[in-house]
Every structure is written in C-alpha cells, then in structure tokens.
Amino acid sequence: IPLTLKELGPEGARLTQKRRLMEEINTQAQSFYAATLKSSDGRAGREYLAKRGMTEEVIRDFGLGYAPEGWDSLKRHFSNRGISLEAAAELGLLVAKPQGGFYDRFRDRVMFPILDRQGRVAAFGGRIVGAGEPKYLNSPESPLYSKGRQLYGVPQAQEALRQTGSALLVEGYLDLLALRVHGIANVLAILGTALTREQVRLLKHLASRVVLVFDGDAAGGRAMRRAFPLFAQESLPVRVLP
C-alpha cells in the first residue's frame, strides 16, 4: 500500500508536541488519583465505591481513583515532578486564581478517567463523596476532549461490542459500572450531556444496533425521545429497555 508522507511544518510539530504533553499530564493525574484511592487519604473514596457495589476488578479495569479534599494536592504532585501547571490548567485539572497561582479543580471526588478509542486518558469525571455541589463535575473541553463526540467506556467495551454487535447505552458512569459488576460488558455511557449526532456516529462504528437503558423517570423518557431522530438520521437500529 503506497503511503503519502506529509511534513508537519513548525506549527504542526508544535501542536503535536503540545498534545503529547497533555496526554502525559492526564496519565500522571490518573496515576495520582488511583494511588490516592489506595492510600490512607482515599478511605472516603473506597467506602463510597464499596457502598455502590464496585469490585476490585472493575476499579482496576476502569482506572478509578480519588481526588483528596485538599486544595493543592494534585498541584503539589505536578510541581514536584516539574509538570507545567499552565498546561494542567488548560486541561481543567487545575484552576487559575485571579491573584495568581493555581488550585485543584477536583476535590473529595471519586474519579472516573475518560479514555479515547486508543485507551489514552482524554478527560475526567468526578463524583463528590461528601456534601456539596455539583454532584458530578467533568473536565472542560480541551484539545483532547469533546464531551459531545466521545463516550465513556469505549476501550473496555470494544471486544464485547465486536462479539455481540450490540451496545447498551446508559446515562452515567456508575450506571455503566453497575452493569460491568454483573458481567455485562457491551455497555457505554454518555458524558453528562444530551446525546449528540456525533456520539451516534461513533456508536455506528462500534455496533450494528443499540439498546437505550436510560432512567425510567420523566427526564429519562424525554432523553430517549430526543435520541430517536438522531438514530434515524444515521440509520442505526435502536430499541429501548423499559
């Protein structure tokens, strides 16, 4: 197969280097959160996951972690390793203070790494463990992450999707993980937003049919009704599990 090679040029090389830096920062953050969950500082996170019925296997396979309560735990971790705090803020892991400096965006939260199709950490979702709002907090849009174009759990589900040809689509991280605990592997989740046509196109690449497993309340019903035209536009068969 003949391959055509194209020079990136200075700007392309700069963007590629920046992307690799951001991927490394997200990887470092995921390792920090996972290690914290196992440490004495992660007790609240472990208790929450145990209460939700999560197994060690699911915690490991999905790289779950815990962001401690402190305002600068991740920031100090990055500083000690010479990681750019400005780049970490662009990814949404840190927040810039008006008077200068940075603080951790995610605090006292169970952390859910969001992986791209190649298994690289693109972003994070965090579920608060103690009191406070919002209940769920997601990474903002970045060069690595667009919530309307990605789905949660793709790398972990790809083999099951290939074998079954079908995908169960749920609304949240814990909905997905609860099914994984019971051995259901061909499941994906949307990312805290209404389903988009781009996500349906991604589903079409992964499966030949989809089953919606949304909440049975009024909001879940509205979400399902809004989703049907998107599947029709992409000619992707869809059913609903009542």
Side-chain angles (χ1 to χ4, degrees), residues 104-177:
D104 294 359
R105 175 183 296 273
F106 298 101
R107 304 178 304 279
D108 190 27
R109 292 179 182 272
V110 170
M111 299 300 293
F112 306 89
I114 300 166
L115 308 184
D116 63 18
R117 291 184 69 178
Q118 288 72 45
R120 299 170 298 206
V121 182
F124 293 89
R127 205 284 185 193
I128 199 161
V129 171
E133 292 291 338
K135 184 184 294 186
Y136 285 94
L137 181 65
N138 291 333
S139 295
E141 302 270 319
S142 78
L144 302 183
Y145 175 62
S146 174
K147 65 182 179 181
R149 295 177 179 271
Q150 290 166 272
L151 294 166
Y152 179 65
V154 171
Q156 295 92 340
Q158 282 190 123
E159 180 59 24
L161 294 171
R162 186 186 66 79
Q163 291 180 358
T164 64
S166 67
L168 303 180
L169 186 65
V170 298
E171 293 186 273
Y173 310 111
L174 288 164
D175 297 327
L176 182 151
L177 297 176

Side-chain angles (χ1 to χ4, degrees), residues 34-114:
T36 302
L37 180 66
K38 297 175 182 177
S39 73
S40 58
D41 291 334
R43 180 178 177 181
R46 293 194 302 274
E47 290 177 347
Y48 177 82
L49 290 172
K51 183 173 68 176
R52 298 302 297 261
M54 296 298 107
T55 63
E56 286 298 323
E57 181 183 12
V58 165
I59 291 171
R60 182 190 67 245
D61 290 349
F62 285 81
L64 305 188
Y66 177 71
E69 292 184 85
W71 288 78
D72 64 349
S73 301
L74 183 63
K75 188 195 81 170
R76 286 187 285 107
H77 177 80
F78 284 159
S79 294
N80 292 340
R81 284 157 180 76
I83 292 172
S84 167
L85 302 185
E86 290 77 12
E90 189 173 352
L91 284 166
L93 292 165
L94 305 179
V95 179
K97 300 177 184 177
Q99 67 273 28
F102 300 91
Y103 64 88
D104 294 359
R105 175 183 296 273
F106 298 101
R107 304 178 304 279
D108 190 27
R109 292 179 182 272
V110 170
M111 299 300 293
F112 306 89
I114 300 166

Side-chain angles (χ1 to χ4, degrees), residues 14-27:
R14 184 188 70 80
L15 292 175
T16 298
Q17 184 178 17
K18 179 181 180 180
R19 187 179 184 89
R20 287 174 179 166
L21 170 63
M22 288 183 159
E23 289 170 354
E24 176 58 26
I25 291 172
N26 272 347
T27 299

Side-chain angles (χ1 to χ4, degrees), residues 190-211:
I190 55 179
L191 294 162
T193 184
L195 187 69
T196 67
R197 189 168 181 180
E198 288 78 10
Q199 288 171 323
V200 174
R201 286 172 176 163
L202 174 56
L203 282 165
K204 191 173 181 179
H205 286 292
L206 297 169
S208 57
R209 56 191 181 277
V210 175
V211 178

